[in-house]
Amino acid sequence: DRRRQGGYRCLRVFVDGANFRRRLDKLCLFPWLGCSHTVDTLLRELSDIPGSQADIDGAYHARYALNVARGDYHRAADTMLTYAHNLVERNALDGDVVPVETLRRQQDATLAAINCLSLVDPRFAFWTPPDAHASTVPASLSTTGSRKRQHASPPAGLRAAPPA
């Protein structure tokens, strides 16, 4: 529907504006009635767009702040753990030594996530790294309440050959 697409584009420009990146308190206090999930999706997309480290950091922090403000602590924790995970991966790709400032950002993100997960029902206080989604099917709860992760079968070309 054209009207919905137009509204989405308008919301994207509104959320992506420099004013909201500098004023997370305004972003979090704005009454996102009926569209808070869309705003969260937009912020997730902004954190995935290549750009300056400050813009990427700002998008992750905005998404975290928005989810904490609306009481979605599991999503806030997921945001910060994904941020810490991506920092580790980016450093691994660069192959350089990791500066202390980057280690502090990783630590701060992980501690923020742990704080959020401490507010979630312990049965649901877990995190799945982004690259693990491809190799596993969703976890199922056993009768005792523990989570069992079922690994998907590897592609045919990667299966071990049967013994001769």
Side-chain angles (χ1 to χ4, degrees), residues 17-85:
N19 292 335
F20 275 131
R21 292 206 184 197
R22 287 192 303 264
R23 298 293 311 266
L24 294 180
D25 58 328
K26 296 292 185 196
L27 176 73
C28 297
L29 293 176
F30 198 82
W32 299 109
L33 300 176
C35 64
S36 64
H37 290 290
T38 304
V39 173
D40 180 63
T41 301
L42 288 169
L43 291 171
R44 185 178 66 235
E45 289 172 2
L46 289 173
S47 64
D48 293 337
I49 295 172
S52 73
Q53 188 62 49
D55 286 344
I56 293 169
D57 293 351
Y60 276 108
H61 288 284
R63 185 170 180 230
Y64 167 77
L66 174 72
N67 284 306
V68 166
R70 65 183 202 163
D72 191 344
Y73 301 115
H74 195 275
R75 193 167 300 212
D78 178 69
T79 298
M80 294 314 279
L81 287 170
T82 300
Y83 174 53
H85 178 78

Side-chain angles (χ1 to χ4, degrees), residues 140-148:
S140 62
L141 290 176
S142 70
T143 55
T144 61
S146 65
R147 275 178 280 292
K148 290 192 279 185

